Amino acid sequence: MEVFHASDEYCMVPVFGMGGSAEGDVAPGLLLELDPPDAAEDFRVLVADLGATVSYFAKTRARAIARRGSVYSLRSTPGVQENGSDGLELVRIPRSVLPAYSPG
């Protein structure tokens, strides 16, 4: 999984710098926290198979715009999505279902 600026439609230059993480590997059922070293609120996220090159031109499993501070689930989907991704989608989890944000 790698993070690009939301305005980088072709995903040519990943977000990089000191003070955060903008890429990582995640196994099923586990968590990955990304904190891109940039002040932007929205980022373009590309997901590829482990060891694959992540770019607009390479085959990716999921492509989505993600918002800083939000929690997402990477889920299996049947077939190819309209954005060209294959078999996965990044779905935002509502804060109301997250224990850290529930009252009480």
Side-chain angles (χ1 to χ4, degrees), residues 51-101:
T53 301
V54 179
S55 78
Y56 179 82
F57 302 104
K59 182 177 180 182
T60 56
R61 301 287 310 276
R63 302 168 189 254
I65 297 292
R67 187 158 187 80
R68 182 180 298 282
S70 295
V71 176
Y72 294 85
S73 175
L74 191 57
R75 299 182 182 167
S76 296
T77 61
V80 176
Q81 304 301 302
E82 62 185 49
N83 64 4
S85 62
D86 178 27
L88 294 174
E89 66 179 340
L90 199 63
V91 179
R92 187 173 182 198
I93 305 297
R95 286 187 177 212
S96 60
V97 301
L98 298 171
Y101 296 100

Side-chain angles (χ1 to χ4, degrees), residues 7-85:
S7 61
D8 185 358
E9 293 181 29
Y10 296 107
C11 302
M12 298 300 283
V13 180
V15 175
F16 62 91
M18 296 179 61
S21 60
E23 64 180 312
D25 300 330
V26 63
L30 298 179
L31 298 173
L32 172 65
E33 180 178 358
L34 297 175
D35 183 19
D38 191 272
E41 289 296 315
D42 296 320
F43 295 93
R44 189 174 303 274
V45 177
L46 268 62
V47 178
D49 289 325
L50 189 60
T53 301
V54 179
S55 78
Y56 179 82
F57 302 104
K59 182 177 180 182
T60 56
R61 301 287 310 276
R63 302 168 189 254
I65 297 292
R67 187 158 187 80
R68 182 180 298 282
S70 295
V71 176
Y72 294 85
S73 175
L74 191 57
R75 299 182 182 167
S76 296
T77 61
V80 176
Q81 304 301 302
E82 62 185 49
N83 64 4
S85 62

